[in-house]
Amino acid sequence: CEVPHFAIIGYGKLGGRELGYASDLDVVFLYQDDAPDAAENYARLAQRISTWLSSTTAAGVLYEIDLRLRPDGASGLLVSRVEAFSNYQKNHAWTWEHQALTRARFVAGDIEVGRLFDPVRCDILTQERDVEKLREEVRTMRQKMHDGHPNASKLFDIKHDVGGIVDVEFIVQYLILAYSSKHRELTANVGNLALLNIAAELKLIPGDIAEN
């Protein structure tokens, strides 16, 4: 077709509109096309886009591309039909993948495919969950991340140390997954500070904690 039915979904810093100079691009490629050779063609397109974005220039590499959040991770297909992505998220994804989905959004490509992604994301985030089990799974994943970023200095690592930015991000992700089934406003991709304020307004956390 003349217009590719193909979309780029941004996760992480890209999805959360928080890109910095050293940020990776965490992306997933989706398509919605019934052509017999669609999967092959869109896989080539996705590979070409990845190559462009990770090109080496005189100033260095443009971006590091991270595609591990696609269904089945590094062993999965480079591109996914929207239905296949939805099925994976509903039936096979780990909790940490749903955590990542809290910050996901359509960033480029076919707007119609982006519109198909939004209800899939909302449906996953608003699933009923065992809150106690969720808490333990989020806590376990946070500990793994903490163990993977040891701080050998005496200085406070504002991102990875206990009480840092990653802790705040995990708390927000937990609140979204635990309570979006009752409070759909928590699914809005509006940033951690705004979501903490929403959680406080909903009496899920004390207001002074949200402000601090």
Side-chain angles (χ1 to χ4, degrees), residues 48-79:
R48 185 169 297 180
I49 291 172
S50 298
T51 300
W52 288 338
L53 291 172
S54 58
S55 297
T56 301
T57 71
V61 176
L62 285 176
Y63 295 100
E64 296 289 342
I65 306 297
D66 191 337
L67 303 172
R68 290 174 294 178
L69 282 167
R70 67 186 187 268
D72 293 316
S75 64
L77 298 174
L78 191 59
V79 296

Side-chain angles (χ1 to χ4, degrees), residues 4-205:
H5 301 304
F6 173 92
I8 301 175
I9 306 301
Y11 281 73
K13 297 297 184 184
L14 174 61
R17 300 177 177 85
E18 298 173 350
L19 276 183
Y21 288 110
S23 296
D24 294 347
L25 295 185
D26 296 290
V27 296
V28 166
F29 300 115
L30 300 180
Y31 74 95
Q32 190 69 13
D33 194 326
D34 294 327
D37 55 354
E40 181 180 351
N41 289 338
Y42 289 124
R44 285 201 297 266
L45 175 59
Q47 187 60 62
R48 185 169 297 180
I49 291 172
S50 298
T51 300
W52 288 338
L53 291 172
S54 58
S55 297
T56 301
T57 71
V61 176
L62 285 176
Y63 295 100
E64 296 289 342
I65 306 297
D66 191 337
L67 303 172
R68 290 174 294 178
L69 282 167
R70 67 186 187 268
D72 293 316
S75 64
L77 298 174
L78 191 59
V79 296
S80 300
R81 283 184 63 92
V82 174
E83 294 94 335
F85 177 82
S86 176
N87 178 67
Y88 176 83
Q89 291 290 336
K90 289 178 180 176
N91 300 306
H92 305 290
W94 297 87
T95 295
W96 65 265
E97 293 176 281
H98 288 174
Q99 288 180 244
L101 197 62
T102 64
R103 292 161 62 82
R105 65 183 176 94
F106 164 73
V107 295
D110 185 349
I111 293 175
E112 293 305 316
V113 178
R115 287 175 179 160
L116 292 174
F117 166 76
D118 287 337
V120 171
R121 174 182 177 272
C122 190
D123 286 346
I124 298 301
L125 297 185
T126 56
Q127 287 179 347
E128 291 276 356
R129 291 178 170 85
D130 181 328
V131 175
E132 293 300 323
K133 180 182 178 182
L134 174 67
R135 183 181 295 121
E136 288 306 311
E137 290 175 339
V138 172
R139 183 180 293 147
T140 298
M141 179 53 63
R142 175 64 189 105
Q143 187 61 50
K144 287 182 179 179
M145 284 193 65
H146 180 72
D147 294 343
H149 293 84
N151 184 3
S153 75
K154 295 181 179 180
L155 300 175
F156 177 69
D157 184 335
I158 193 171
K159 181 175 181 179
H160 292 290
D161 279 353
V162 174
I165 293 173
V166 175
D167 272 356
V168 174
E169 291 175 345
F170 269 63
I171 290 168
V172 172
Q173 291 163 9
Y174 166 77
L175 291 169
I176 293 170
L177 295 180
Y179 299 109
S180 287
S181 61
K182 297 181 178 66
H183 306 288
R184 294 177 75 90
E185 54 264 57
L186 287 169
T187 64
N189 192 338
V190 292
N192 290 322
L193 294 179
L195 287 166
L196 285 171
N197 287 330
I198 291 172
E201 291 170 1
L202 294 171
K203 309 300 184 185
L204 300 176
I205 59 174

